[in-house]
Amino acid sequence: MCGIVAYIGNKEACPILIEGLKKLEYRGYDSAGVAILNGDLKIIKKKGKVAKLEKLLNEHSHDTIHKIGIAHTRWATHGKPNDINAHPHISGDGRLAIIHNGIIENYMSIKKALMERGHEFISETDTEVLIHLIEEVQSTQDITLEEAVRVALKQVVGAYAIVVIDKNEPDKLVGAKLSSPLVFGIGEDECFLASDASPIIKYTNKMIYLEDGEVITVHRDGKYEIRTLDNELLDPQIQELELKIDELEKGGYSHYMLKEIFQQPITVAESMRGRVNSDEGWAILGGMSQHIGRIANSDRIIMTACGTSWHAAMIGEYLLEDLARVSTEVEYASEFRYRNPIINENDFIIGLSQSGETADTLAAIKLAKSKGALIYGMVNVIGSTIARETDCGSYIHAGPEIGVASTKAFTSQVTVLTLMALYIGHYKKLIPEDYFRKLLTELESIPSKIARILAKDEQIKFIAGEIKNASNALYLGRGYNFPVALEGALKLKEISYIHAEGYPAAEMKHGPIALIDMYMPVIVLATNKSAYEKLVSNIQEVKARNGVVIAIVTEGDVQIKEIADYTIEIPETEEPLTPLLSVIPLQLLAYHIAVMRGCHVDQPRNLAKSVTVE
Ligand code: G6P
C-alpha cells in the first residue's frame, strides 16, 4: 500500500513524478504529494487523487527547474486521509523530506522520546516520527544523510520502503527497504527509485530490486552505493526487465478492469504456454519439476493467500484433491500466520499472490519456511518479494494487472493450479490416460471459449441494467462453482458497493433464504452436470420466494431457461475447468453494474491493490 517514486537527473522532476504516481495509484489514492528541491525544499501535497495534486502543481509558477524530487500516493494507516497527513513529511528543521510505504510499529515510543527532547509533530503519522528521528541522528552525530538513515533505521521496528532528500545534500537520494518493495532504475544521466517498475520502465529497463535491510545512496552523476544496515558494501546484480509500456496503458478501453477482462483469452493462453501439450500428452510446471517427487509424496498441500487469490486457491483445493488426490487445505494468510498452525517438513506450502507483496501472505510463507516445509510461490509480478522468498515457484504470466479488482490474474492462477493438479495427478498415475488427454485438449480450448463469452458483453450489460439498483445480491454455486460464487460476490462488493454474499447453493436453506424477496437478485452458477437437478431445485426455491434469478448455464440448456428470469450461456467444458469460464460473466456483470452506479471501477473506495500492511 502507498506508492513511492523518486527522481534525480537532468530533467524537470515534477512531470516525471506525477506520471509515476499515476502508475502507482493502484497502491492507494487517499492523498498525494511531492517534495522538490532546488535551493528551497518545496512540499506540495493534497487530500484526494493524483489528478488533484497535478492540478495544484500546475497552478504553481514554473520559473525554477527541479531536477530532484520525491513523490507519494497514500493509502492511509496512521491518521486520516487529509492534507497534513499526506506525504512527503519534513523534519522539524525543514531540511529533510521523506516518503514512506509501510508501518513503523514502534513509532509511539520513538515519538514520546523525541517529544521529551523537544520535537514537535504536525501530523498523526508514523512517517513524520521517522524523519524526526533521522534528523536527530544527523544533527547530533554530524554524519551524512545515508549514515543518518542507516543509524535511525536500526532503531525502527516495522515495515518500510523510504526515500529521503536533504536540502543540504541536494545531489543525492537515499532509499531503504524492509518488507515493502523498492526498485532502483538506472537510466542515462538519471536514476529512479519506486515501489515497482511501472514509473521507471519508460526511461530504462535496467533495475535493481532492493533486498530487505538495504540502504541505497544515489548520486546525480548516476553513481550509487548499496549497503546493509550494518554498513557492509554490497554488489547487487542489475536486471534487465522485459516489460512493455503499452502493457501499462488502457489500450482504448474505458477502464483497466475492462481491458483486463477482455485480455483473458490471451492471458490464460500465456499462463499455459510451454506448459501443456495435448498432442504429446503432457502438462508440466518447470518450477515444480525439480521437486515433483517430494511434492507428489507430500502429506499435505497448504495454500495460503488473501482476497481473490484465496478464491483461486479454493478452486486449487478442489482440483488437487479431485485430480491429484493430495489432501489440501486453504488458509487465509492473516489467520494462518497467527494461529500457531501445525506445519511439518513433509508439507508443501503454496503462497498465491498476484502482486507478490501482500504482507500477510509473505509472513505466512516465511512462517512455513521456518518449519522446514517446501515453499512454492505462484505470483504474477516478476521479481516481487514472494517470488524471491520461496524455494521454487511458477509465474502466472498474466501481465501487469492495474485494476484494483483482480480479474485476469484470477483466471491465470486457476489455469496454473489446473496444470499443477494435472501434473501431479499424471505423475502419480491417478488420472486415466484418455481422461487426462481430454482435460488437456479442453484446457487448450479454454481461451477461445472465454472469447465466446466475452462476445456476450452486451447481453450481460443489459442484465446489469436490470439489477443495478439492488442493495444486496446472493451468488450460489456448487462444487467447482462454489469458489466462483465467492469470487463473483467479491467482485460486486469491491467495485459497486452492493452488499453481496457467495454461498454453496445447498447451504442457502440454512440462512440466506430468509433474505430472499423480489428485490434480491440471486446469481446461480448452474453449469454442473453432476448436480444439475439439485441446482434446478435451488432455483425453484428462490423463485417460490419471488427472488430474481440470473442463471449461468451451459449452452443449449432448456430446463433452467424456463424458470430463471435471465440466463447467460457459457460453452460446455469438463467440470474441473468450469471456473475458468463461469467467472467471466460475473466479472462483466460486476463491471457494468459499477459503471452504471457511477463508481470508480479501477480505484474503488478504501481498497488498494497491493496490501503491504497487515
Ligand atoms: C487486495 C486486492 C485484491 C487481491 C488481494 C490479494 O485486497 O484489492 O484484488 O486479491 O489484495 O492480493 P495478492 O496480490 O496477494 O493477490
Side-chain angles (χ1 to χ4, degrees), residues 306-309 353-355 358 404 406 494 608-609 611:
C306 304
T308 288
S309 296
S353 174
Q354 186 288 127
S355 61
T358 302
V404 165
S406 183
E494 280 179 307
K609 186 144 193 76
V611 182

Side-chain angles (χ1 to χ4, degrees), residues 213-214 388:
E214 292 183 355
R388 287 180 284 129

Side-chain angles (χ1 to χ4, degrees), residues 294 298-302 342-349 372-375:
R294 177 169 171 191
S298 53
D299 293 336
R300 254 184 336 170
I301 294 179
I302 302 174
I342 297 170
I343 308 166
N344 299 314
E345 284 182 10
N346 210 23
D347 290 332
F348 176 49
I349 315 290
L374 182 67
I375 315 292

Side-chain angles (χ1 to χ4, degrees), residues 569-587:
E569 290 191 357
I570 63 171
E572 189 170 1
T573 189
E574 290 297 314
E575 220 154 301
L577 309 182
T578 311
L580 289 168
L581 300 182
S582 56
V583 76
I584 309 291
L586 306 191
Q587 295 170 342

Side-chain angles (χ1 to χ4, degrees), residues 263-282:
Q263 275 184 314
Q264 288 175 109
I266 295 163
T267 50
V268 166
E270 278 299 304
S271 305
M272 58 176 111
R273 192 149 66 97
R275 293 169 166 174
V276 59
N277 188 320
S278 61
D279 292 338
E280 294 171 13
W282 53 261

